[in-house]
Amino acid sequence: MSRPVPAATAALRVLRFLSGQPVPVSATHIAGALDLPRSSAYHLLTAMAAEDFVVHYPEDRTWGMGIAAWEVGHGFARQEPLARLARTPLARLVDRVGQSAHLVVLHGADVLYVIEERAPGRPPLVTDVGVRLPAHLTASGRAILASLPAAQVTALYPGKAAFTSRTGAGPQSPTELRRLLVTTRQRGYATEDGEVTEGFASIAAPIDAGTIHASVAVTWESRAPAGDMVADVRATAAEIARRLRRT
């Protein structure tokens, strides 16, 4: 009869625990919840972070799920509730507006692309399933960040060093981001133009479904007329949220 490997068992318990938390938590919290010695919990988390299964937020002294954990579960993700329930509404959105659309979830200070629906005849985008991009640069990320508590946004963006740029545009400080998120929150949707890829713009709306931090967005060539897509994007996000609440 095979014997369990204590470190492997502990690592799996940590992943399961973190996957159920709405926000990153401290190592002390993890150790207490799983009845692990604090020193063992720190060593375990450090080893898991080295393999990207967890991510450490030093300014906030917390730990959250890492990209490797998402990648391992990617096959299941295609059938899990968010992706499964969102795919049809997203496809209908693409049919209505004639532009490519996607759904993302927040992962630390990045967004992860979970679904990408390409509109026929539209140019390829940098976004695809499994791609990560800085949340503060994308309309998708801004829509989610605007729905989070201010303290959580501050933990993700404690100073100017937390900000990156792809095209030279976009917020470059916590103050600039806060102002942008205030506007986003007031109007109920987010935008970006040329901040992810020059010549392309996006509109996004958050999915209001409890602890799920996700959003829906449409991307198009910014030199082409956008039309009135805001209502369609917001309606799609609301429909996905309703579907999730019924599960």
Side-chain angles (χ1 to χ4, degrees):
M1 184 176 179
S2 62
R3 301 179 61 184
V5 181
T9 300
L12 292 172
R13 292 178 65 209
V14 168
L15 287 176
R16 178 173 289 177
F17 176 73
L18 288 178
S19 71
Q21 305 306 303
V23 296
V25 296
S26 68
T28 300
H29 188 158
I30 295 169
L34 300 180
D35 195 25
L36 296 171
R38 284 185 60 182
S39 59
S40 298
Y42 277 107
H43 288 307
L44 183 63
L45 288 165
T46 300
M48 294 172 71
E51 298 296 327
D52 293 328
F53 279 93
V54 299
V55 60
H56 185 215
Y57 301 100
E59 294 83 4
D60 202 35
R61 298 181 180 179
T62 57
W63 301 78
M65 294 288 287
I67 182 61
W70 185 89
E71 290 171 342
V72 168
H74 178 54
F76 173 75
R78 287 194 294 268
Q79 296 182 4
E80 63 91 24
L82 178 59
R84 176 167 47 84
L85 295 174
R87 193 169 299 280
T88 296
L90 204 67
R92 287 199 292 257
L93 173 63
V94 171
D95 289 341
R96 285 198 302 271
V97 303
Q99 303 290 349
S100 297
H102 54 257
L103 180 142
V104 308
V105 295
L106 188 67
H107 180 81
D110 292 338
V111 287
L112 266 173
Y113 288 77
V114 176
I115 304 176
E116 181 80 7
E117 287 286 343
R118 298 289 175 86
R122 298 303 177 189
L125 306 172
V126 297
T127 58
D128 203 350
V129 174
V131 168
R132 286 193 301 173
L133 288 174
H136 66 282
L137 294 180
T138 67
S140 302
R142 293 170 183 176
I144 299 172
L145 293 173
S147 68
L148 298 181
Q152 189 171 347
V153 176
T154 299
L156 293 173
Y157 297 94
K160 290 187 175 181
F163 292 82
T164 59
S165 177
R166 288 173 56 89
T167 66
Q172 291 297 305
S173 71
T175 299
E176 290 180 14
L177 180 61
R178 280 195 298 271
R179 289 172 181 165
L180 181 60
L181 296 183
V182 167
T183 301
T184 299
R185 196 176 302 115
Q186 289 173 343
R187 66 188 177 192
Y189 65 92
T191 64
E192 69 85 16
D193 190 346
E195 293 162 71
V196 175
T197 303
E198 291 182 355
F200 288 85
S202 298
I203 293 172
I207 296 172
D208 182 13
T211 59
I212 294 176
H213 301 313
S215 67
V216 169
V218 167
T219 298
W220 71 97
E221 290 180 277
S222 51
R223 65 175 179 269
D228 185 14
M229 293 188 288
V230 172
D232 289 313
V233 172
R234 296 184 70 179
T236 300
E239 180 184 356
I240 294 170
R242 286 193 297 271
R243 287 177 167 227
L244 288 167
R245 294 192 199 103
R246 290 197 294 264
T247 58

